[in-house]
Amino acid sequence: MIRVENLTKRYGSVTAVDGATFTVRPGTVTGFLGPNGAGKSTVMRMLTGLTPPTSGHATVLGRAYRDLPNAGAHVGVMLDASAQHPGRTGREALTLASIAIGVPRTRVDEVLRLVGLTDDEAGRRVRTYSLGMRQRLGLAGAFLGEPRVLVLDEPANGLDPQGIHWMRGLLRDFADRGGAVLLSSHLLAEVQAVADDIVVIGRGRIVAQGPVAELVDGLGAIARSLDDAALVAALEAAGHAAAATASGVVVEAEPVDVARIALAAGIVVTDLRPHGAQGLEDLFLRLTADDAREVAA
């Protein structure tokens, strides 16, 4: 339902996005990950027609977003939940949007219930909303036209744990009914919990993409021991790539093989599990290390 092909955006001598290519399949949630400044928002703005690409193209439902007749009725977009007139009430904002895309005003009440905003909250001025309430209002706007595709940039920002859990169920249900979701988020655990596929961008280039099960669950094992340096040496001597990280020793081998190697080397292992348990965070940090602002002391 979403296809991005060789999408590039340059601002003078700066290349913000460099040949991005990926797809979002019907019936799936695709997590779109990358450090700040990596190009995620630029890709999403090009996808939704807000920023013209320098080259390449992106389509939604088989057409460029700008060429979709009444795009808001088919594609739900939330790129900035704060982009609402602060002097309007939540209900007024949604009512105006319903008029613009030609859906019945009764749909306003439906989406308000969907996102959990009460009648009292819907009647308040947006300027009085908390960040979490603005996120819910933005999601209500995205669902207003009964879309087949959702494009969401940091929709969980400002939500409490219960709200994040609710949003996960909302997106999962949408995808399970055949919809396609492109979800940008910094909450890696939530992405891992809800996403079918992930796309990782770093310095404007796609550095990894594919099903979560292949990219994360297939990473091997993670272990802690009384002597991690010795464990790394023993694993490498046995032909397995291994590295000591803050989370433990990450190794491209099954946990049972790690246990056997440690036992043979006389190393006491204190923790051993499939890497998938913390895999998305470690994968993200490894693939985007060059973009990290923080350096080890």
Side-chain angles (χ1 to χ4, degrees):
M1 287 190 177
I2 296 176
R3 184 177 297 275
V4 174
E5 297 182 346
N6 297 314
L7 205 59
T8 298
K9 181 62 181 178
R10 298 187 183 92
Y11 296 97
S13 61
V14 176
T15 301
V17 177
D18 188 2
T21 298
F22 63 88
T23 60
V24 179
R25 301 174 291 120
T28 65
V29 177
T30 296
F32 192 30
L33 309 176
N36 291 332
K40 300 189 304 298
S41 295
T42 303
V43 168
M44 298 178 99
R45 288 181 61 84
M46 288 190 285
L47 173 64
T48 54
L50 295 174
T51 297
T54 302
S55 61
H57 62 277
T59 59
V60 186
L61 299 172
R63 299 188 184 188
Y65 184 85
R66 290 182 175 181
D67 294 336
L68 288 170
N70 196 8
H74 308 288
V75 184
V77 178
M78 188 182 81
L79 300 186
D80 183 357
S82 297
Q84 297 281 1
H85 193 298
R88 293 187 181 130
T89 67
R91 183 179 297 279
E92 287 171 347
L94 293 175
T95 299
L96 288 171
S98 73
I99 294 171
I101 64 177
V103 299
R105 296 194 187 185
T106 54
R107 180 64 180 159
V108 172
D109 289 322
E110 292 174 3
V111 295
L112 284 169
R113 288 194 296 270
L114 178 69
V115 303
L117 286 176
T118 67
D119 288 341
D120 177 66
E121 291 168 336
R124 289 167 50 186
R125 304 292 176 187
V126 173
R127 71 164 65 94
T128 69
Y129 278 18
S130 66
L131 179 56
M133 290 173 63
R134 291 182 188 228
Q135 294 295 107
R136 290 177 183 267
L137 181 63
L139 284 169
F143 276 93
L144 191 61
E146 300 188 61
R148 296 166 57 193
V149 176
L150 293 174
V151 180
L152 308 175
D153 193 1
E154 299 290 348
N157 189 24
L159 295 179
D160 59 24
Q162 287 183 329
I164 292 172
H165 178 78
W166 158 81
M167 188 198 69
R168 183 200 307 165
L170 182 70
L171 300 185
R172 187 68 266 165
D173 178 69
F174 178 82
D176 289 345
R177 289 185 287 108
V181 183
L182 179 62
L183 169 66
S184 168
S185 178
H186 286 105
L187 301 177
L188 301 184
E190 289 306 314
V191 171
Q192 186 166 350
V194 73
D196 304 284
D197 301 325
I198 55 174
V199 176
V200 184
I201 188 170
R203 295 193 177 184
R205 294 184 176 183
I206 304 301
V207 295
Q209 61 180 299
V212 173
E214 292 182 7
L215 293 176
V216 176
D217 294 342
L219 286 178
I222 185 165
R224 291 185 182 276
S225 72
L226 297 183
D227 190 341
D228 283 354
L231 180 59
V232 169
L235 290 165
E236 290 180 338
H240 300 290
T245 72
S247 300
V249 175
V250 178
V251 56
E252 295 178 5
E254 292 301 311
V256 64
D257 296 324
V258 175
R260 287 170 179 162
I261 293 168
L263 178 62
I267 300 168
V268 177
V269 173
T270 58
D271 186 22
L272 177 61
R273 59 188 183 277
H275 197 191
Q278 293 183 332
L280 186 54
E281 180 178 358
D282 289 325
L283 176 70
F284 177 84
L285 293 174
R286 177 164 55 84
L287 291 173
T288 61
D290 291 342
D291 290 327
R293 296 179 183 272
E294 293 79 12
V295 295

